[in-house]
Amino acid sequence: MNILLLGHGARENVIAETIRKSSYAKLFSYMKSNNPGIAALSEKIEIGSYSDMDKVKDFAKKNNVDFAFIGPEDSLSFGVVDVLQSEGIDAIGPVKMLAKLETSKSFTRNLLQKHEIEGNPKFMVFGKENIDEIDDFLNIIEGIVVKPDGLTGGKGVKVQGDHFNTKEEAVAYCKEVLEKHESVVVEEKLDGEEFSLQCLTDGKTVLSFPAVQDHKRAYEDDKGPNTGGMGSYSCENLLLPFLKKEHVNEALKITKKVVDAIYSETGTYYKGIMYGGFILTKDGVKLIEYNARFGDPEAMNVLPLLKTELAGICQAIIVQDLGKLKIEFKKKATVCKYAVPEGYPDNPVKNEKIEIQSSNAKIYYASVDKKQDGLYMTGSRAVAFLGIGDNLEEAEKIAEEAVSKVKGKVFHRKDIGTKELIGKKVEHIKRIVD
Ligand code: AMP
Ligand code: GLY
C-alpha cells in the first residue's frame, strides 16, 4: 500500500513511524524541508511548498498512492484534500470547506450555537458593521479573549491579563484585527485547566485518543510567551491527574455532536482528525477550539501507545467503516519535551548546529535541517524527546535525561511532567471546582 504523507515536523515524524508499523505500508513523503526522521522511513521524498498543489498532485500520481495523510493545517486550508480527491485519491484530512472548523473561529462557535451543542463560552462575532455594539457585550462578560477570524499561526489570540488589560485595549485590538480580517470573535475568558482530546472520525463514528496536556508557555512554571507547545504528558490510566472519565466523556460528546452537525449543515462527511482543545472549568468542560489535524506535541504522546494498526484505521476512515473498529492503547504514561533554539519563540537563533546523544527516549525531528556535517536548527521547535514508562515519574526521567543531553544553543522546560508542576494543576482545579 502506497501512502502519501504531507508535512515535515515531529508530528509527521511520529505519524510516519506509526504507519510504518504495518509491513505492507510504504510511505511517499512530501515535505517543506528535509526531516531526517521522516526521510529514513520513506521510500521516496519530495521537497516542495504546501501551496504548490500541482507538485503535490504529480508526486502522488507518479507514486501511485492509495491515499494521503495530511499533517499540517495550512495544507488543509489550501484545499489539498479537494485537489487530491479530484484525482480520485482519498485523504485523511477534511476538505477545505470543513477545515474551517480550525481556520474560522466564528464558523465553529456559530455551529455549536446553532445546533445547541454545549461547550461554548459567551461569545459574539463582530465585523465593521456591528463593532459599535461591542461595549454592551464587554459589559456582560467577566474577562475578555479576542480571536481574529482566520489562521494566524497561533499568534493572533489575545487574552485579558496576559496580553492586554482594559476594555479600551480590547476594542482597539478588535479594530486592528478588522483591518486585516473580515471578522473577530470576542469571548468570555474561561478559568481552568486545558486538555487536548484528539479524535478520529469518518464522518459518522468518532473514536478518541487518550487525553493529553500540552504546555504552551515558553518558560518554566507556565511563564513567558506562548509557543507551539514546549512539551506534553499523558497518564497510564489514559486520563489526566485533574481529569475524570466523566470529563473526557463530556468532551467526546461535544465532538460527536459537532461531527453530526457538520454533516447536517453541509451534506459532506468530515474524514480525519478532529482535535479539540478543551478546558475544565467550574461549569464543566468548555471548548477552546478545534484543530483539523493532530496536535504537536500531543501526537507524540498518543500514537506510540496505539496497539491497533494506524494504516488499517486510515483505510476504515476512508470507507467509513470506523464503527466496526475498536482502537486500543498501551496503558503507559508518556512525557514529551522539546529542545528549542535559544531565544525561541521571539528571537530564536538559526542555523546553529545541535548534537543529540543516545538515550532511552524516542526522538522526533521538527525544525531541523540535515546537512552533510550534521543537524542544524531552522528557528522553530527543534527536536522532541518522548519518554514512555509505567508511570509519569519514569516517563519524565527518560525524556528529561535525553533532552538535557542535547549539545548546542538550545533550552527546554525541565518542569513538564514533574510531580511539582502537575500538583499545581491539580490544586488549581480543586480551587475553582470545589
Ligand atoms: P486558540 O487559538 O483558540 O487555541 O487560543 C490560544 C490560547 O488562548 C488557548 O490555548 C488558551 O490558552 C487561550 N484561550 C483561548 N480562548 C480562551 C478562552 N475563552 N478563555 C481562556 N483562554 C482562552
Ligand atoms: N499543541 C498545540 C497544537 O498543536 O496546536
Side-chain angles (χ1 to χ4, degrees), residues 105 109 121-122 143-147 152 154-159 162-163 187-192 194 216-217 226 275 277 279 287-291:
K105 307 272 186 202
R109 290 283 181 232
K122 287 192 190 108
I144 308 165
V145 179
V146 179
K147 302 181 167 186
T152 54
K155 297 210 171 71
V157 174
K158 289 201 176 176
V159 179
D162 287 345
H163 308 104
E187 59 188 46
E188 184 159 49
K189 180 179 170 182
L190 301 164
D191 184 18
E194 291 181 47
K216 291 226 162 82
R217 299 302 193 96
N226 271 327
Y275 145 27
I279 181 167
L287 175 74
I288 297 273
E289 63 162 355
Y290 273 113
N291 294 305

Side-chain angles (χ1 to χ4, degrees), residues 1 13 49 62 89 102 125 146 152 165 191 199 212 256-257 260 290 326 329 370 376 395 413 423:
M1 180 183 294
N13 194 167
S49 148
K62 207 163 63 195
I89 300 167
E102 172 163 359
V125 182
V146 179
T152 54
N165 290 308
D191 184 18
C199 291
V212 180
K256 284 182 172 166
K257 287 185 184 176
D260 291 342
Y290 273 113
K326 199 169 168 278
F329 299 95
K370 192 175 177 188
Y376 286 80
R413 274 186 60 171

Side-chain angles (χ1 to χ4, degrees), residues 5 7-9 12-13 16 27 29 31 35-42 45:
L5 176 64
H8 64 278
E12 290 77 22
N13 194 167
L27 279 179
S29 301
M31 337 182 226
N35 178 317
I38 299 174
L41 292 160
S42 304
I45 63 163

Side-chain angles (χ1 to χ4, degrees), residues 85-125:
Q85 272 182 357
S86 70
E87 297 294 328
I89 300 167
D90 288 312
I92 305 301
V95 294
K96 184 175 177 172
M97 175 182 57
L98 303 187
K100 274 204 300 200
L101 196 68
E102 172 163 359
T103 57
S104 166
K105 307 272 186 202
S106 65
F107 172 81
T108 303
R109 290 283 181 232
N110 286 330
L111 187 78
L112 264 76
Q113 187 174 54
K114 182 173 172 197
H115 291 261
E116 296 178 354
I117 302 169
E118 56 277 30
N120 264 347
K122 287 192 190 108
F123 79 99
M124 256 187 94
V125 182

Side-chain angles (χ1 to χ4, degrees), residues 304-342:
L305 300 184
L306 195 55
K307 287 206 242 168
T308 320
E309 283 185 65
L310 182 58
I313 294 173
C314 292
Q315 286 170 278
I317 291 175
I318 285 162
V319 298
Q320 293 190 294
D321 246 355
L322 209 50
K324 292 194 190 133
L325 264 187
K326 199 169 168 278
I327 55 172
E328 292 187 293
F329 299 95
K330 293 179 201 150
K331 302 271 186 323
K332 296 275 187 188
T334 65
V335 173
C336 184
K337 301 198 189 204
Y338 256 116
V340 304
E342 283 176 8

Side-chain angles (χ1 to χ4, degrees), residues 109-230:
R109 290 283 181 232
N110 286 330
L111 187 78
L112 264 76
Q113 187 174 54
K114 182 173 172 197
H115 291 261
E116 296 178 354
I117 302 169
E118 56 277 30
N120 264 347
K122 287 192 190 108
F123 79 99
M124 256 187 94
V125 182
F126 294 96
K128 280 195 171 141
E129 68 295 342
N130 69 343
I131 190 71
D132 297 343
E133 296 163 27
I134 191 169
D135 289 336
D136 292 343
F137 181 64
L138 294 186
N139 285 333
I140 61 158
I141 59 175
E142 292 265 317
I144 308 165
V145 179
V146 179
K147 302 181 167 186
D149 204 8
L151 270 187
T152 54
K155 297 210 171 71
V157 174
K158 289 201 176 176
V159 179
Q160 191 173 29
D162 287 345
H163 308 104
F164 66 91
N165 290 308
T166 65
K167 286 181 190 166
E168 290 70 31
E169 286 170 308
V171 174
Y173 182 52
C174 287
K175 289 184 175 161
E176 186 190 319
V177 169
L178 288 179
E179 295 303 313
K180 275 199 226 137
H181 298 265
E182 288 254 304
S183 48
V184 60
V185 178
V186 180
E187 59 188 46
E188 184 159 49
K189 180 179 170 182
L190 301 164
D191 184 18
E193 280 297 323
E194 291 181 47
F195 64 98
S196 304
L197 193 71
Q198 301 168 99
C199 291
L200 296 159
T201 181
D202 58 4
K204 294 177 175 172
T205 300
V206 180
L207 299 176
S208 79
F209 284 94
V212 180
Q213 190 172 40
D214 183 20
H215 298 73
K216 291 226 162 82
R217 299 302 193 96
Y219 312 137
E220 268 148 43
D221 216 12
D222 292 325
K223 304 249 161 57
N226 271 327
T227 69
M230 294 293 290

